[in-house]
Amino acid sequence: MNSIKVKASAHPTMGIVLLGGLSDPALRLPYHNSAGICYSLADRESVAETTLTITDKKMENTLNGETLDAKDTRSPFKLIDLYKEQINRKYSGHIYFNSVNRNIISGSSDAGAAALGKCISWLLPDVDKNDLELNMRKVSESAGRSFYGGLTVTEGIEKPLTRQILDESKFENYRILSVVFPHKRKPSDDIHFNQPKSEYYKKRIMNADQNVITLKELARKNQIKDIFELAMRDTDDYHYLNSLVDVKIVTEEMKVLMEEVQEIRKKMWVTYIVTGGNSVFLVTEEKDVESIRNVALEHSREIHLLKVTGGARVIQTGDSNLKSE
Ligand code: 3S4
C-alpha cells in the first residue's frame, strides 16, 4: 500500500510539579524535573485529533479548519520534517497534516504535539520513543505528559524523558473544577524567560526536583490526596517565584478564591493548582463536587468539570481515501 492515513487523539495537560525556565529555548529543555496529568472535560472528550495523510493527491494542511502556515516557528512541520525521509521510505507521496481541537478550554499545544507524535510512531513503529519525545518537545515542552497520560514525571535535564507513574483509573474518584477568570492568559514563555533571573531560582530547582522524588513515593503508595496536597504546595512555591520576577499570573481575584479554599480546607478536603493560565483548578473528591462548585460560582461564571485521562491513542487508520470528518 502506498498512500495511507492515520488519525490519533491526545488530551491537554496540567502541571503537578510545575515547569519554569528553559535552558535551551530552541530545544525547550528544562532546568529541573517536573510532573503533570492529562485531563478532559468530564462529560465530553477534550482532545486534539490529528490526521497525517501520505498521498499523491493534492490536499491542504489545516488546523481547526484553517489553512496552516507551515513556516510558523512552532509549526507541526518542525516535527514532521524530521521524520519525512523515514516515512517516505515506507509510503510515497506528500505528507499532509490536519488537526482539530475539540472541547479544549486551554493549552492545546501539548495535545497537538502528542497526537502528531502518536501518528508518527504508528507510521514508524521502530522509531526511538525517547528521540520522538525530545523532538515533540521542540513543538511543546510538556508534550510527553500528553503522550503517556495519567500522572507522569519528566526527569533529566539534557535528555528529559517522561514516563507514566499512575494511570488514570487511580483518579476515578476525583474531579477538578477549572474556575476560569475573565482576563487574558500570559504566554508561558514569560515565566520561562523570567524565573531563572531570580536568586530564588536555585532554590526552586531544588524544591521542584525534591517534589518529583516525593511524588514518585506517593504514587507508589497510591496516596492520591497527598499527591494533590503536594501539587498545591508546588503551586505556591512556583507563584512565589513568579511574584519575585514580576510575572503576575495569580491575580487578586484568583488569590481571593485560593484564600477561601484554605479556609474550606479546615472542614473539607479540597486543594488548588494554578499553572500559567487564568484558571484556578480546584481538586475535590467526586462526592464533594457540588459543594465546591457552589463556592466557585461566587467567584466566576465560567467553571468546567474535569477528570484525569489517559495518553495519546491511534483512533483510525486506512488508505488515503478514508473519509475525514
Ligand atoms: C506554565 O511549559 P501552562 C506551565 O508545568 C508551563 O504546566 C509548561 O504550564 C507550567 O500553563 C506547567 O503553560 O500549561
Side-chain angles (χ1 to χ4, degrees), residues 115-126:
L116 174 56
K118 198 72 190 174
C119 289
I120 292 171
S121 71
W122 184 84
L123 290 166
L124 304 170
D126 296 330

Side-chain angles (χ1 to χ4, degrees), residues 213-259:
I213 293 171
T214 310
L215 184 75
K216 287 192 288 185
E217 192 55 23
L218 294 172
R220 206 176 53 77
K221 295 188 271 182
N222 274 316
Q223 289 178 229
I224 308 298
K225 280 188 181 170
D226 290 327
I227 287 172
F228 288 120
E229 294 280 334
L230 177 142
M232 186 167 72
R233 289 195 298 278
D234 191 78
T235 280
D236 288 341
D237 190 47
Y238 188 79
H239 292 288
Y240 168 68
L241 170 55
N242 283 334
S243 71
L244 295 179
V245 290
D246 278 334
V247 177
K248 202 165 174 59
I249 306 293
V250 178
T251 60
E252 286 313 310
E253 292 75 16
M254 290 162 80
K255 206 162 151 194
V256 170
L257 172 59
M258 289 156 81
E259 282 166 2

Side-chain angles (χ1 to χ4, degrees), residues 11-50:
H11 301 283
T13 80
M14 163 188 328
I16 292 292
V17 176
L18 299 164
L19 176 66
L22 296 173
S23 63
D24 183 326
L27 303 180
R28 301 194 76 76
L29 296 175
Y31 282 109
H32 61 75
N33 297 340
S34 59
I37 49 174
C38 256
Y39 70 87
S40 167
L41 288 176
D43 62 348
R44 272 162 297 157
E45 270 231 297
S46 311
V47 280
E49 271 181 18
T50 299

